[in-house]
Amino acid sequence: MTPPRPLIVVTALLSLVVLANLWIFARFTVDDAFITWRYGQNLIAHGIWAYNPDGFDLTQAYTNPVFAALSILPAAMGWDMVLSFKLISLLTLAGIGALLLREAGEKARMAFVLVLSLAIPASIAHAVSGLETWLYGGTLALFFIYAEQRKWTQALLCVLLLVLTRPEAWLLFGLYPLMLLTTRPARAVVLRHGAALGLMAAGYFGFHLWYFGEALPNTYFIKSGEGFDPAQALRILPYVLPALALLVWGNRRTGLALLFYFGAVGYSYASSDLLMNYLQRFVFQIVLPMALYLGWAVSRAPVAQARRGWLTLGVAVYLAAFGLHTRSLGDHLGIANYYPRLLDSHVALGRALNALSAQGEVASFALGDAGAAAFHADIRALDTIGLTSHLVAREGLTLAVVQAYAPDVVAFFATAEGVRDLPDRHAALWAYVAETGMTEQCELVWARQYTLRLFTRSPLPALSDACAHSAAANDTDELRYALRGLRQPPWTYWHE
């Protein structure tokens, strides 16, 4: 079937938008990615699978065991972790795209949906952030595609990958067997697939319960929230609505599975404290797999070309709605500037702490941003938000917890006007600072609206140098910083 010429032209034009997005946003690496990478680093450098290199406060801080395991290889080979995961991200995009095109009917329509999804700036940012968002979303779409075609071996492989990629996919431990059984497969297939799922569940949860003392990742306790939030639900659940349309006009079995899965996930998101929800990351984890599945379904729909065109337009409107949802210029400038700023602030701080540790001046520090600074410092780090601390998740950030960590440097969230009024995150730190006689040494600048005030017992010139460097590099507004920084190609920043 010859694809419509307008579709080819639009896809080609959108490809130029994708290239522009890559130039702007491929420089983005999120601080949280370093939390996961620290496990591979510590295993190779210190022989322990833990967030802290000395094993103190043993915590399952990652939610993506696949990326945690992958981080071992760059650490073992001495490869740059950021560069390694940029390449993994690009390979992920290429692999998912190739698999989707192989399964598609009218490949030009599938290509259009793929390119349109990447033409949304937020999509590129999520693809290259260092997190598993695109791996999860693309593999989930492939799972529903394989299941609808009753390609059960491929569907099972997707499930086994997914449950090691995102906690949301644990729903598939129950949903996949139900989807399989409704097709009345051979008994041997049911037994083999059931055994594979059982072994995966037992191995995954059993290992983490034995090793960390908790079967669930620490974020489950930190992000649990205070119950269902209707306002948050209104920003999330409408993206599940295409599943209802499938129940009426598409494959009803798949429509029901999509409705159950994304309805449950959307409800969970609406009931959680969605930390680091930059560019609607959690909504995107619904939008991406839904849109990719819909693109495949449209490409194979047994309808006239004109109707297929209208269906394609519907998928485009769905993606455009998410694009509008994430249209803030300020947010996009912040993401483009994020990692370059991080290199001159948190990375510089981590390197200074590492040097001070080598001199015997610092053995531990406390900071709410648990990624890059801790990764580069390579010493004990207290995450004052609690994502990487079992103690904080269970007991709260108490004075006793801070005393147990005994930080030599304490960082407070601040702005240019002063330390922020955050009693739940700062009260215990203030008590510890008073108890140990710490005083403010300097201000680390990530941006004008986001700084860290560093407190120490005695002056540490290396910290003052890091603070001065951050202020010189980052004390400017987002637009001016972007206009200066975007002259550099994105791969300039593909390093630790």
Side-chain angles (χ1 to χ4, degrees), residues 158 228 334 451 463:
C158 286
F228 184 76
T451 68
L463 290 188

Side-chain angles (χ1 to χ4, degrees), residues 315-395:
V315 179
V317 169
Y318 178 73
L319 284 167
F322 177 74
L324 288 172
H325 194 172
T326 56
R327 67 185 182 278
S328 169
L329 176 61
D331 288 348
H332 287 91
L333 287 174
I335 291 298
N337 297 339
Y338 181 100
Y339 189 62
R341 287 186 181 276
L342 201 75
L343 285 168
D344 287 317
S345 54
H346 294 62
V347 170
L349 171 63
R351 288 174 175 160
L353 289 169
N354 183 268
L356 290 167
S357 172
Q359 298 166 12
E361 305 238 22
V362 170
S364 177
F365 73 106
L367 171 63
D369 298 325
F375 179 89
H376 287 278
D378 197 27
I379 59 175
R380 182 186 294 183
L382 168 58
D383 171 11
T384 58
I385 294 177
L387 289 173
T388 67
S389 170
H390 181 265
L391 288 174
V392 174
R394 287 303 192 183
E395 302 175 20

Side-chain angles (χ1 to χ4, degrees), residues 37 64 66-75 79-96 126-135 494:
W37 300 340
N64 48 351
V66 167
F67 274 26
L70 284 174
S71 71
I72 297 171
L73 181 60
W79 299 340
D80 188 283
M81 197 71 76
V82 173
L83 175 60
S84 297
F85 275 86
K86 291 297 182 190
L87 298 177
I88 289 171
S89 296
L90 295 175
L91 288 172
T92 297
L93 287 175
I96 288 170
H126 293 311
V128 300
S129 67
L131 298 185
E132 69 288 345
T133 310
W134 253 89
L135 177 62
W494 290 6

Side-chain angles (χ1 to χ4, degrees), residues 1 105-106 294-305 307-308 311:
M1 182 184 297
E106 191 179 351
L294 291 172
W296 170 83
V298 170
S299 78
R300 294 174 66 95
V303 296
Q305 193 76 345
R307 186 176 179 188
R308 190 175 288 176
L311 292 172

Side-chain angles (χ1 to χ4, degrees), residues 348-349 352-365 379 407-410 438-443 454-468:
L349 171 63
L353 289 169
N354 183 268
L356 290 167
S357 172
Q359 298 166 12
E361 305 238 22
V362 170
S364 177
F365 73 106
I379 59 175
D408 299 303
V409 178
V410 174
M438 288 184 168
T439 57
E440 182 176 339
Q441 173 160 341
C442 61
E443 180 180 35
L454 305 183
F455 284 70
T456 59
R457 293 182 183 87
S458 59
L460 297 172
L463 290 188
S464 296
D465 291 344
C467 288

Side-chain angles (χ1 to χ4, degrees), residues 218-465:
N218 204 53
T219 52
Y220 176 83
F221 307 103
I222 293 295
K223 296 183 178 181
S224 57
E226 298 180 358
F228 184 76
D229 182 348
Q232 190 155 285
L234 285 173
R235 294 189 292 270
I236 297 171
L237 292 177
Y239 290 104
V240 183
L241 291 178
L244 292 175
L246 279 174
L247 285 173
V248 178
W249 294 294
N251 185 291
R252 293 182 180 179
R253 184 182 288 108
T254 304
L256 190 62
L258 288 167
L259 185 62
F260 171 81
Y261 184 90
F262 290 119
V265 168
Y267 181 87
S268 174
Y269 288 166
S271 306
S272 302
D273 184 9
L274 301 178
L275 300 174
M276 289 302 288
N277 191 27
Y278 55 90
L279 297 179
Q280 297 299 317
R281 176 167 68 97
F282 292 94
V283 171
F284 187 68
Q285 291 178 162
I286 295 174
V287 171
L288 178 63
M290 184 75 81
L292 295 179
Y293 166 80
L294 291 172
W296 170 83
V298 170
S299 78
R300 294 174 66 95
V303 296
Q305 193 76 345
R307 186 176 179 188
R308 190 175 288 176
W310 284 108
L311 292 172
T312 306
L313 180 61
V315 179
V317 169
Y318 178 73
L319 284 167
F322 177 74
L324 288 172
H325 194 172
T326 56
R327 67 185 182 278
S328 169
L329 176 61
D331 288 348
H332 287 91
L333 287 174
I335 291 298
N337 297 339
Y338 181 100
Y339 189 62
R341 287 186 181 276
L342 201 75
L343 285 168
D344 287 317
S345 54
H346 294 62
V347 170
L349 171 63
R351 288 174 175 160
L353 289 169
N354 183 268
L356 290 167
S357 172
Q359 298 166 12
E361 305 238 22
V362 170
S364 177
F365 73 106
L367 171 63
D369 298 325
F375 179 89
H376 287 278
D378 197 27
I379 59 175
R380 182 186 294 183
L382 168 58
D383 171 11
T384 58
I385 294 177
L387 289 173
T388 67
S389 170
H390 181 265
L391 288 174
V392 174
R394 287 303 192 183
E395 302 175 20
L397 186 62
T398 64
L399 177 59
V401 169
V402 182
Q403 290 170 332
Y405 268 86
D408 299 303
V409 178
V410 174
F412 289 86
F413 292 113
T415 66
E417 286 71 41
V419 175
R420 297 183 188 181
D421 183 19
L422 300 170
D424 57 329
R425 297 181 183 177
H426 287 169
L429 297 179
W430 281 124
Y432 180 80
V433 163
E435 177 183 82
T436 55
M438 288 184 168
T439 57
E440 182 176 339
Q441 173 160 341
C442 61
E443 180 180 35
L444 191 81
V445 179
W446 180 76
R448 285 178 176 175
Q449 72 279 10
Y450 194 107
T451 68
L452 298 169
R453 299 294 177 97
L454 305 183
F455 284 70
T456 59
R457 293 182 183 87
S458 59
L460 297 172
L463 290 188
S464 296
D465 291 344

